[in-house]
Amino acid sequence: MFAVLASLLASPASHAFAPSAAADAARCEVWDRELSFAQSVADHDTEAFASHLHPFAVFGVSRPNPQRGQGEILEAWAGLIAGRQTRLWWYPEHVHAGGDAGIVSSSGPALYQDVASGQYRLGRFSSVWQRGADGVWRVVFDDGLAPQPADPAKVEAFHRGRVGACPPA
């Protein structure tokens, strides 16, 4: 047993992971779903936002007191969805399916704009999606990095970086 493990650790390149066709299809489905999730906030559409949440989702998973369940998340996100004080945009940059094509991770940049001042901040998000029994992808876990002030060049780079179609793996 030790010899097998040692050989795997000694030559990781020889055991590269090649995603299956199902995993690649799942990756692209989540890419599209992530774009749809972001659009729900851009459109200030609470119902559409809620449709992307797993009923038992956890947001802020790296924090001591995350939001648990759809109700808490909707309450915590109400202001962002409404866009009254802060506007939020994001898009996927990396989407990966593992060995189980029913679980996929996504991550990318997130741009916040203070409505009163017009100032921008740039952060990052990371989400884990699960395909439900009904075939619909929903966010199970979500978190992000605290946004930092963004100058006009970073804001422009954010907008230029958005890719609408799922890129090849």
Side-chain angles (χ1 to χ4, degrees):
M1 177 70 169
F2 179 75
V4 172
L5 180 59
S7 72
L8 288 173
L9 294 174
S11 58
S14 66
H15 302 284
F17 174 77
S20 67
D24 196 49
R27 184 182 66 80
C28 286
E29 290 168 6
V30 168
W31 185 282
D32 293 341
R33 191 77 169 141
E34 188 72 68
L35 290 174
S36 170
F37 192 32
Q39 191 63 48
S40 73
V41 173
D43 291 344
H44 313 294
D45 188 339
T46 302
E47 187 175 322
F49 180 87
S51 75
H52 292 82
L53 300 175
H54 187 281
F56 303 109
V58 181
F59 275 36
V61 297
S62 67
R63 298 177 188 121
N65 297 304
Q67 295 120 26
R68 297 179 179 278
Q70 195 175 65
E72 276 188 30
I73 294 165
L74 289 173
E75 184 178 324
W77 277 69
L80 281 171
I81 296 168
R84 287 186 287 269
Q85 295 176 335
T86 303
R87 291 193 182 108
L88 171 62
W89 302 270
W90 76 88
Y91 55 80
E93 188 173 59
H94 305 288
V95 178
H96 302 286
D100 179 346
I103 300 173
V104 175
S105 70
S106 61
S107 62
L111 183 66
Y112 300 77
Q113 182 186 33
D114 181 271
V115 172
S117 70
Q119 296 295 309
Y120 288 95
R121 295 175 296 136
L122 191 60
R124 293 198 59 81
F125 76 90
S126 181
S127 300
V128 175
W129 296 77
Q130 180 181 38
R131 186 192 326 256
D134 59 359
V136 176
W137 289 98
R138 293 182 183 86
V139 178
V140 179
F141 298 109
D142 184 81
D143 209 346
L145 298 177
Q148 302 298 314
D151 62 26
K154 288 181 180 177
V155 172
E156 178 61 29
F158 169 85
H159 290 299
R160 278 194 326 268
R162 186 182 187 281
V163 175
C166 178

